[in-house]
Amino acid sequence: MFRRPQARIDLAALQHNFEQVQKIAPHSKIMAVLKANAYGHGMLQVAGQLKSANAFGVARIDEALSLRAGGVVKPIVLLEGFFHADELPQIVASNLQIVVHQMEQVQALLNAQLDSPVRVWLKIDSGMHRLGLNETEFPQAWQLLSQSPNVVQPMRLMSHFACADERNSGITEQQLTCFNQLTANIDAEVALANSAAILAWPKTRTEWVRPGLMLYGVSPVAGQRAAQYGLKPVMTLSSSVIAVRSVRQGDKVGYGASWCAPADTRLAVVAIGYGDGYPRAAGNIASVLINQQRYPVVGRVSMDMLTVDIGVADINVGDQVILWGGDLPVEEIAEQINTIPYELLCNITSRVQFSYINAG
Ligand SMILES: *Cc1c(COP(=O)(O)O)cnc(C)c1O
């Protein structure tokens, strides 16, 4: 029987990766980042496994509300805060914490009538120039919100790094210096480090860390593999062979006839394509694993299928094909097609069937 493309999520690997974060940053509390459906892994299942996390981080209020609706009672931080003042009653009612990164949010919070105070993480722009208060706004915001009955005291502080994945860049040190100067006279818990900073920049392991990608067993540092950091891949994306056929030297394969057989060979047609989230850019570039062996994807990836050159290998209809996971890291596919593993993981579509193993 044909089975849909599968994403198998190994919760023991997830737990192992979480414990790696604890080992690397033993003095830090851990805000596990679960945005974008836990980087495509399933937010509720991931939250259910990570019972030792001190908090969860998400991007948007609907993600936080899904966690609450699923029974998650842990602290949840909205990493971009609220987008409009009318979300504040819901934030209080659902006991969510907010990042405050611009003066409009400060004013809205000061002016609101809330049933109880909300926990605030003040975000400083230390040099990334995406979100965050600048050097003149931050002291004002701290001053104003320190006196607000709408805010749990003391507030916490955060910032985000632009280049933590680049070991030879001076920018992370510059951002740290900037952050430390702005906050020198303030006593507050601080959260700075994403996965790359946790792994590569020890000084960023402050009271809190905010790992995302590394929890899923994927390296955030280009050119490095998760195994080098003692991380285990959590997701295995697989499908199966639905046809095996022979082609002659010179036969052209797939849309656009973009691959021409250099010799007589055999092709396996695999039931997965960009409609499932396997990247179209991988055509004629990436490899897949069948029975532990690598075979090249030849021709264009189509919506529901791709073709693999299997030569004379003993491969049959129904055999399992691994697109990434195990010995074929998603980092490798991402590098080959000039993207990042984050994007590949987030792009998996609802056609893929998820299963969860080794829950603990
Ligand atoms: C997504 C995100 C993280 C996690 O980043 P990783 O690179 O996946 O570890 C941490 N902090 C903030 C503010 C984020 O948006």
Side-chain angles (χ1 to χ4, degrees):
M1 191 191 73
F2 168 70
R3 300 177 71 214
R4 286 154 68 186
Q6 310 279 314
R8 199 193 60 200
I9 306 298
D10 183 348
L11 294 170
L14 176 71
Q15 183 65 32
H16 167 90
N17 298 332
F18 181 85
E19 287 165 15
Q20 279 299 108
V21 179
Q22 290 178 310
K23 271 192 205 148
I24 296 169
H27 306 297
S28 303
K29 287 180 263 191
I30 298 176
M31 184 193 303
V33 178
L34 306 187
K35 62 196 181 192
N37 196 27
Y39 296 47
H41 290 67
M43 192 166 55
L44 276 177
Q45 290 85 352
V46 169
Q49 177 63 43
L50 296 181
K51 295 186 180 63
S52 309
N54 301 92
F56 294 133
V58 298
R60 303 189 188 145
I61 191 167
D62 51 310
E63 295 175 327
L65 296 179
S66 311
L67 285 173
R68 287 283 182 255
V72 173
V73 295
K74 250 185 223 306
I76 300 177
V77 182
L78 299 175
L79 293 170
E80 289 150 35
F82 56 100
F83 298 170
H84 194 272
D86 62 13
E87 293 166 341
L88 282 168
Q90 177 83 76
I91 284 167
V92 170
S94 299
N95 191 23
L96 307 179
Q97 304 184 7
I98 53 175
V99 168
V100 167
H101 58 81
Q102 59 189 342
M103 293 310 278
E104 289 79 358
Q105 291 173 316
V106 174
Q107 283 309 330
L109 201 45
L110 292 171
N111 296 337
Q113 298 278 338
L114 302 181
D115 292 339
S116 55
V118 52
R119 162 83 64 200
V120 167
W121 298 72
L122 267 191
K123 182 166 188 174
I124 294 175
D125 175 11
S126 57
M128 184 167 175
H129 304 314
R130 187 179 59 180
L131 291 185
L133 300 159
N134 67 26
E135 69 275 9
T136 48
E137 293 164 338
F138 166 65
Q140 291 171 22
W142 178 268
Q143 172 75 17
L144 290 166
L145 293 177
S146 293
Q147 287 152 20
S148 171
N150 284 337
V151 175
V152 176
Q153 306 297 341
M155 286 175 280
R156 294 174 180 162
L157 301 180
M158 64 178 271
S159 192
H160 197 56
F161 295 116
C163 304
D165 56 335
E166 297 175 27
R167 286 163 176 279
N168 299 321
S169 162
I171 291 180
T172 301
E173 292 278 1
Q174 282 169 25
Q175 286 195 251
L176 257 179
T177 305
C178 171
F179 182 88
N180 289 336
Q181 280 168 357
L182 283 175
T183 60
N185 301 316
I186 288 176
D187 187 21
E189 292 184 8
V190 169
L192 298 176
N194 60 0
S195 297
I198 291 168
L199 293 170
W201 302 93
K203 280 191 275 184
T204 68
R205 300 169 196 149
T206 58
E207 287 83 1
W208 288 81
V209 291
R210 305 191 305 265
L213 192 70
M214 69 182 292
L215 293 174
Y216 308 103
V218 180
S219 166
V221 179
Q224 305 285 100
R225 297 286 177 261
Q228 293 170 257
Y229 299 113
L231 302 170
K232 297 181 181 169
V234 173
M235 180 191 292
T236 303
L237 180 67
S238 67
S239 190
S240 44
V241 175
I242 56 168
V244 174
R245 49 188 298 127
S246 297
V247 289
R248 289 278 174 80
Q249 179 181 25
D251 283 352
K252 295 184 172 64
V253 175
Y255 284 120
S258 72
W259 187 76
C260 179
D264 293 358
T265 189
R266 288 161 67 248
L267 300 180
V269 182
V270 184
I272 194 164
Y274 61 80
D276 304 290
Y278 187 80
R280 184 171 176 276
N284 289 319
I285 293 179
S287 298
V288 302
L289 277 183
I290 309 175
N291 305 325
Q292 289 14 295
Q293 298 285 326
R294 287 184 182 223
Y295 300 94
V297 177
V298 295
R300 287 195 189 151
V301 172
S302 46
M303 190 183 291
D304 317 304
M305 287 175 279
L306 54 80
T307 41
V308 176
D309 183 3
I310 56 172
V312 296
D314 178 23
I315 289 171
N316 301 293
V317 169
D319 284 0
Q320 190 197 44
V321 180
I322 293 178
L323 289 308
W324 62 65
D327 295 329
L328 181 56
V330 66
E331 297 96 304
E332 180 181 320
I333 318 267
E335 268 167 34
Q336 287 172 326
I337 63 171
N338 294 316
T339 185
I340 51 175
Y342 299 80
E343 187 181 34
L344 296 184
L345 295 171
C346 289
N347 275 351
I348 301 225
T349 71
S350 57
R351 288 213 304 193
V352 174
Q353 185 167 50
F354 278 70
S355 60
Y356 293 85
I357 62 166
N358 299 329

